[in-house]
Each structure stands twice: as C-alpha cells, then as structure tokens.
Amino acid sequence: MRTRTRIRTAAVALAAAAGLTFVTGCGGGSSDDSSGHVTLEFLSLAWQKDSVAANKALVKEWNAAHPDVQVKYVQGSWDGIHDQLLTSFEGGQAPDIIHDDASDLTDFAYGGYLADLRDELPKSLKQDIPQQSWDMTTFDKGVYGVPFLQEPRVLVANTELLTASGVRIPTAAHPWSWPEFEQAAKKLTVRGTGGRPRQYGVAWSMKEPVSQSVNSAVSTGGTIFKRVDGKNKVTFDAADSAVSQVINRQINETHTAPKSSLGMAGSDTLPGFFAGKYAMVPLNFSYRQQVEQQAPKGFDWTVLPMPAGSGPHGQAQGVVPQTLSVSQDSQHKQAAVDFISFLTQGKNAARLALGDWLLPNSSSALKDPALNTTENGWRTGIQLAGDLVPSPVLGVRGYAEWKDKIATPAFQEYYNGSIGLDSLRGKLAGDGQRVLDRYQR
C-alpha cells in the first residue's frame, strides 16, 4: 500500500466549499489521562433506534469490563460521510474506530489513512468470518476493515396475489430463473380497460440504479469491472447486461413493471405495494422492517430470493458490507482492534444484525436462533448468506465518480427507454473508462 500523500489544503477547501463539518463530539482519536487510562473514540453510523441502542449497550458492556480502555461512542450519519472522514483524516482529527462500508475503504486504504489489520486480528475472528467476506476489505493483501454486516437483495411479495396467480413459489433452494421470473411477472400483471395494467407484476425502484444493476449482474456471470494488466477496465458484454435487459423489457416492452417507479427509492414503492398496485418489489433486506411496521392490518407478505442465473454461481449476489476500521493515526491500534473483535464476536454480531435488520458476516452469528426464524423473512436471508460475494465495485479506484457522473444517468436513460443497449454500453465502457483511467496513471 502506498505511502500517504498529504492533501490537507485541498481537503480543508473541500470541506469549506461544501459546508461540511465532522460529526459533533469527535475530538481527534484516542487520549490518555494521567493514570495511563486510554479513551478510544468510536464513530458509529447506526441510525435506526434498535441499532443505536444495541451499539450503545455493547459500548457500555465493554467499558464496564475494561476500566483501563474506555470507548467513547460518537454518533455519526451516512450523509456525506466520505467527505467528512477525508477532512478529519487530513486534519488529524479522525476517530480511532470507524464505522463505514467497504466501498469507501479503497481510496482511504490507498491514501494511507487506515491501519492494516492483518497482524492485529485474533485468529478466532479471522476464522469466524468467511474468506469471501475478508476479500471485500482486502487491498494489496492488506486488510483495512472488519466486515460485520451485509445485505442481500430480495423480492418482497404480496402473498395473496402470489397465491392467486398460480405461479410456482420460489425458495432459496429453488429460486426462479430470470426467464421464469419474467413469466411470473406477466401472470401477476392484471390489465384493465384498453389493456393498461392496473396491477403490475413488479416495481423496480431505480432512483439509485447503479449498485443493484452491477451487483445483480453477478448472477449471470457479469463483472462489469475487469482487471487487465493490473488496471480496471469497464465492460458491458452479454453477461454484464443480461439482468439490465430483463428490467428494460419489463418496463418498456411487456409493461409488467411501471415506468413511474424509476424515480423512486425503495421506500417510495411501499404505498403502491400495500395497495395492491405492485405484486412484488425488489428491495434491500433491511426494508423488511419498514414493511413490517407500515403494512396495513391483515396484509400478508413474504420474502423471496432474487432470480438466479443459469451458471454454477447463478444465485450469487454482489454485496458491499458495513465495516469497522482503525485510523492509521490512532495511538492505540491494538486496543481499537480488541474492541472491534468484541463488537463482532458471534453473539454481539447477531445483536447488531437484529438491530439493523441485516445479516451478520460472522458464521457463528448466522447460527443464532434469533435470526433463524421464518418470521419477517429472516430464514430466507440466512439461506442466502453463502451466496453473497464481493461486489464488483470493490477495489475500483474512481468508482464513485464513474457512478455519479456516468453510470447513474446512463442507467436511468436506458431503463426509461431513452437510449438503447449499445448507447448504454458506450457510456459505461467508453466515457466511463476515461474516468477510471485518470485514477490509474
């Protein structure tokens, strides 16, 4: 990993221009008092009530058991976290322990801001988290974060409409193929006067289309990003585009999915789902909490696996796990790693997963009885855990700019029917490659 290059002036200018301030209460990492007691700062991005409570409870338990190494909980927010962290790193004010996600680690790791944890992690933790999860936080053989929460994508379906349609009900062991999913969506689409759908088989929320387009491509053997001569190359061949073509057909040809949902976030589709306007909605796993809390009384819903491709890894999904990292500037790296190990051990990882309605990366946590229940689709998620693989975007320098400037508008135009597949490919792999090349000189 390369030596850090200081860009303090640029970072401060960025913060000033964007009006950014770092998380209130973060005072610049660990400190020691006159008696040698250590205080570590833990920046948490937990935001749901149950998740915040679980994190704070674990901090309290740690502090009670470790009087000489105290942890100060600092509440952060996902909004603007990348720029806030960059400013804190450059200003020497970074917390010791940093909650983030793996897509953010690439630039911070290459910039020298995060500690390489390879030699600090206990053997028990290394063995409890599968290698495919460690691969999500490993760059140039260094490990720059502990993956602890992950989120598959699932189909949330209206049980009554699903049963009435007569379609085969998929399971994690026997999911729909993508062609079978298209046929199911046709059966679940009900047309009224003039053939216009009054009930759609599926509603795709595409306000942020890139991550789901890239990660679902894994099921058909797609990668979109490939390493060629040590550099990242963008492709969009048949395997890469297969799922995107399904979505495009459903919206623009078979009309089994509404165009109106393209500008929606996942939560925006729920009112229509509850009203019977959409029979199925592809959502991230954590949305089950909103469904459970907001569904009308008597509304029956179920969680189904996403469709699978035809290859040997057809049920695979790319994911970007949430991570816990240690600042390179921390004066107490081993103590910080010890706290992370405490948070992510099996029973504690399960508590954090329950609070966030996510899956733990920990193998022992995945066996926790509280997660292995049919209620609210937990068991379906547990059964999908073995098929979660590193998202193709991980380790791609320049991905954030490629996503924001090139891929997001291009996918939105394609799904809206404004451009065809060749134009989409040209934007992603042509214009997009020029973006990545600037990061690989």
Side-chain angles (χ1 to χ4, degrees), residues 2 37 99 112 123 176 201 206 247 315-316 319 345:
R2 69 184 63 176
H37 292 177
H99 178 190
K123 183 178 180 180
W176 283 326
M206 286 292 173
I247 298 170
Q315 290 179 255
V319 294
Q345 64 183 240

Side-chain angles (χ1 to χ4, degrees), residues 168-176 303-308 315 380 383-384:
R168 179 181 74 84
I169 308 300
T171 64
H174 300 286
W176 283 326
V303 174
L304 309 175
M306 289 295 289
Q315 290 179 255
T380 298
Q383 292 170 332
L384 297 176

Side-chain angles (χ1 to χ4, degrees), residues 109-159:
Y110 279 94
Y113 299 117
L114 300 177
D116 181 355
L117 307 179
R118 275 177 299 178
D119 298 329
E120 312 292 341
L121 296 169
K123 183 178 180 180
S124 59
L125 180 61
K126 292 179 180 179
Q127 294 177 336
D128 190 36
I129 295 176
Q131 184 57 48
Q132 64 193 38
S133 291
W134 288 117
D135 290 343
M136 302 179 195
T137 61
T138 300
F139 309 103
D140 282 357
K141 299 181 180 180
V143 176
Y144 294 91
V146 175
F148 74 110
L149 292 174
Q150 55 188 339
E151 183 166 28
R153 199 159 178 83
V154 293
L155 293 171
V156 179
N158 182 316
T159 304

